[in-house]
Amino acid sequence: MHTGTNLIQFLADEHRRTASVCPDVQALLGQIAVSCKEISNAVNQGALSGVMGSLESENIQGETQKKLDVITNEIFLRINERSGQLAGMASEEMDDAYTIPDGYVRGKYLLVFDPLDGSSNVDVNISVGTIFSVLRYEGKASNPVAADFLQPGTRQVAAGYALYGSSTMLVLTTGHGVNGFSLDRNVGEFVLTHAGMTIPAETKEFAINASNQRFWEAPVQRYVSECVAGKTGPRGRDFNMRWVASMVAEVHRILIRGGIFMYPKDTKDPAKAGKLRLMYEANPMSLIVEQAGGLSSTGRQRILDIQPEGLHQRVPVILGSRQEVERVIGYHAEA
Ligand code: AHM
Ligand code: MG
């Protein structure tokens, strides 16, 4: 594979090479890519098109919605409901499963997404992204219900994210490694620029919202304090810390140069198992990270093995460079 291959060519090649990514999935991923191009435009226009700021409304998680949360959700629905490949959709911004309107062709797949992850950053012009996960619809009814979406992450057919940063990128896995495409705005295509992305096994960089430190459990306290202790501590080397508050940007950095990202279980709100959502944040990102040679865990369990219990279920997330994630899992086991 060489630079210059566009996404559609890449998917056709991948199908020939691996006998995966059947034409239906190729078509669906093509439409998801179109949705991400539209979102990239909307995010890029920023204040020029009056889309900054918040609405009065809250989503199912009780979070105030940004105008762009709602606009980007509608872009995803509008484009993908007509793909002909979907039986239903679900997203961070909708309480229940979304039914494909009457009159549109229904397909065999389910699409779960977070249309604008990290949207608290959008007003301050920091990178945001879109995360998506494709599942098979195994049911018989013409309209799937929430229970049809509740499949472990190991059953994802494809997963990916778009990052709206200094350039727009689409990073994708169909279970045969991870590849990154950059949006060439001159021709309006995603072009393969990062073939076969892999995460270095070791790292000197960690990402965690340190303002929650007093709520962390002992294994995470231990891991972070050992990193912070640097050269003279038990790790014998200095670490660097990053926190963008935008999971897509965080995972992308890890794919490029290694690192560990944690939004762990904490005691801040005992009713919540973690902050990030399993179906449309943790699962797709975990598949990407594992396919790039990294690991993803709650600290106690592989995320991709979790049997989901709800569309908006939250989980602790610890992902990134293999050796570091193994270390944090080890600290949980010892505790
Ligand atoms: P969102 O989907 O409402 O944008 O929330 C998810 C985001 C992640 O992108 C990021 O890792 C985390 O929430 C940031 O949380 P915090 O504001 O606690 O730093
Ligand atoms: Mg999100």
Side-chain angles (χ1 to χ4, degrees), residues 243-316:
W243 188 249
V244 189
S246 199
M247 189 195 198
V248 175
E250 234 75 79
V251 169
H252 192 68
R253 186 186 60 245
I254 288 171
L255 278 172
I256 300 286
R257 66 178 192 205
I260 182 169
F261 166 88
M262 292 177 281
Y263 217 116
K265 183 173 182 326
D266 63 32
T267 57
K268 194 174 186 177
D269 178 351
K272 291 181 185 162
K275 158 136 195 196
L276 299 172
R277 276 58 52 116
L278 175 62
M279 299 291 301
Y280 41 82
E281 292 174 328
N283 267 343
M285 290 311 208
S286 298
L287 188 63
I288 289 172
V289 165
E290 286 201 6
Q291 284 291 318
L295 280 185
S296 178
S297 169
T298 65
R300 295 175 170 87
Q301 186 183 10
R302 182 187 179 211
I303 286 181
L304 291 177
D305 285 336
I306 297 174
Q307 172 58 53
E309 286 166 3
L311 276 180
H312 303 285
Q313 175 178 349
R314 295 174 192 261
V315 284

